[in-house]
């Protein structure tokens, strides 16, 4: 039964999706690090950007 399943092949070339530039990323991280209310989110934001 599993041998009958066919995976469709993509016609488009694979490319990396990157919604933010490096400069934008750094500005966002810096804003979290400098925020008095949300600075505890800075490690999470970094983790999300770099994974």
């Amino acid at each position: 039964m599993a041998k009958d399943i066919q995976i469709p092949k993509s016609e488009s070339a694979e490319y990396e999706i990157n919604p933010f530039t490096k400069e934008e990323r750094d500005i966002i991280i810096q804003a979290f690090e400098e925020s008095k209310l949300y600075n505890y989110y800075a490690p999470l934001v970094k983790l999300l950007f770099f994974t």
Side-chain angles (χ1 to χ4, degrees), residues 12-28:
S12 63
E14 291 187 32
Y15 57 92
E16 183 177 334
I17 298 173
N18 193 359
F20 297 104
T21 65
K22 291 179 182 180
E23 293 81 19
E24 292 170 333
R25 176 200 67 200
D26 294 340
I27 291 170
I28 293 169

Side-chain angles (χ1 to χ4, degrees), residues 1-5:
M1 180 177 285
K3 65 180 181 179
D4 296 331
I5 298 174

